[in-house]
Amino acid sequence: MSPKSCLGCTKWFLFLLNLLFFFLGIFLLAFSFWLLFDRQSFATVLGSPLVSLRVWSYGFSGVGITTMLLGFLGCLGALKEVKVMLGLYFGLLLLLFTAQITVAIIVYTQRATLATKVAAYTEELIRGYPAQGPPGDTHESWDAVQQQLGCCGWKGPQDWYHHDDATRDRDRAIACSCLRAHNSTHKTPSMLPHGRCPMAALQDIFPRGCKERVQTWLAGNLVTIVGVCIGIGLGELFLLMLSMFLVRNLDSHYEKLLRGL
């Protein structure tokens, strides 16, 4: 294959790949808006708290905008052979790749510190859980975590006993999200329980703490998580090499910047 044909194949391959990313970004952004403005319907169907859906909508918006921006720069830069756009595309992609590597290193090296901070945060969250009335956004999110993971407290149900000072001398209360949902086998999804409920029988309470459930989930899905991360990293490296190949081999004159724009 001649160098010119190789350059043309690289150009069109990079264009089509980034065109796919551009439409993927549009889809994620549209889905985030749908999730943001129709949260009540999603909360009813999924049984998730509104605050969690709002966070997810913001996350999808950020990912969608970033994907759209990279796709736009990659598409137009490759199609019109604009070295400035391809250079900006390379720089943003390299920045994103470096940030991901940095976060991964920090999480791995500081995992003990992060675990301690998470434990302290959850203990404070349980301590501040309202005895009466509707819970706040953070407490509602913790209810969702306990129900979805099937756990109670961070270390176990005893976390709730230690912080239940208001009912120490009476029947102790526990978060309703610690109780097993007896109607979970029904076809219609059950509403997420909130607030405190009177102390129930031990068989009706999730026996494991959320720390153990999270560790079990991570251990069971470690290969998948690592595989996805490696796949994303290799894909970004591949795009970096393609964009740099085009930048170094395209015509250095800037007449193409004006052509067809």
Side-chain angles (χ1 to χ4, degrees):
M1 181 181 292
S2 64
K4 186 176 181 181
S5 299
C6 182
L7 188 65
C9 290
T10 304
K11 165 186 169 180
W12 284 105
F13 184 77
L14 187 63
F15 166 75
L16 293 175
L17 202 57
N18 282 279
L19 184 64
L20 176 63
F21 288 153
F22 181 76
F23 285 116
L24 177 62
I26 293 178
F27 171 78
L28 290 175
L29 189 61
F31 181 74
S32 69
F33 286 142
W34 182 26
L35 192 63
L36 182 63
F37 293 110
D38 197 19
R39 284 179 292 160
Q40 194 63 49
S41 299
F42 279 96
T44 302
V45 173
L46 301 177
S48 300
L50 295 179
V51 62
S52 298
L53 294 177
R54 184 169 65 245
V55 172
W56 277 107
S57 67
Y58 293 156
F60 280 127
S61 297
V63 174
I65 292 173
T66 303
T67 306
M68 283 179 60
L69 177 61
L70 288 174
F72 173 77
L73 291 174
C75 280
L76 196 58
L79 183 64
K80 297 299 182 179
E81 301 181 6
V82 182
K83 298 183 69 172
V84 175
M85 285 190 171
L86 288 174
L88 184 59
Y89 172 81
F90 176 86
L92 291 176
L93 196 58
L94 181 62
L95 181 63
L96 180 63
F97 180 76
T98 306
Q100 292 171 345
I101 295 296
T102 303
V103 170
I105 293 175
I106 292 176
V107 170
Y108 181 77
T109 57
Q110 302 295 323
R111 58 188 183 278
T113 304
L114 291 175
T116 302
K117 290 184 177 180
V118 170
Y121 175 77
T122 54
E123 288 178 2
E124 184 65 26
L125 195 66
I126 293 174
R127 186 180 296 111
Y129 198 95
Q132 295 179 348
D137 288 346
T138 54
H139 302 108
E140 190 177 349
S141 298
W142 181 246
D143 285 334
V145 170
Q146 293 191 138
Q147 273 291 301
Q148 292 172 4
L149 293 182
C151 56
C152 184
W154 181 243
K155 298 178 181 178
Q158 65 273 13
D159 290 348
W160 291 95
Y161 309 155
H162 293 163
H163 300 120
D164 195 9
D165 297 330
T167 58
R168 179 176 295 170
D169 300 327
R170 297 174 293 165
D171 292 336
R172 290 173 174 174
I174 197 170
C176 297
S177 56
C178 283
L179 305 179
R180 302 178 189 273
H182 296 291
N183 57 345
S184 59
T185 57
H186 294 177
K187 294 183 179 180
T188 57
S190 57
M191 294 300 294
L192 186 67
H194 299 302
R196 289 181 179 262
C197 292
M199 188 61 188
L202 292 179
Q203 61 268 22
D204 293 333
I205 301 175
F206 294 124
R208 297 183 179 181
C210 293
K211 177 182 179 180
E212 182 182 353
R213 296 292 294 177
V214 169
Q215 291 175 340
T216 302
W217 185 88
L218 288 176
N221 296 273
L222 183 61
V223 175
T224 303
I225 296 173
V226 173
V228 169
C229 293
I230 292 177
I232 293 175
L234 292 177
E236 290 173 344
L237 282 176
F238 180 66
L239 292 174
L240 285 171
M241 289 188 294
L242 286 181
S243 59
M244 181 52 64
F245 176 79
L246 285 179
V247 169
R248 292 179 61 87
N249 290 278
L250 286 177
D251 190 355
S252 59
H253 299 289
Y254 284 92
E255 289 82 5
K256 291 183 180 181
L257 180 63
L258 304 176
R259 186 197 309 169
L261 295 179

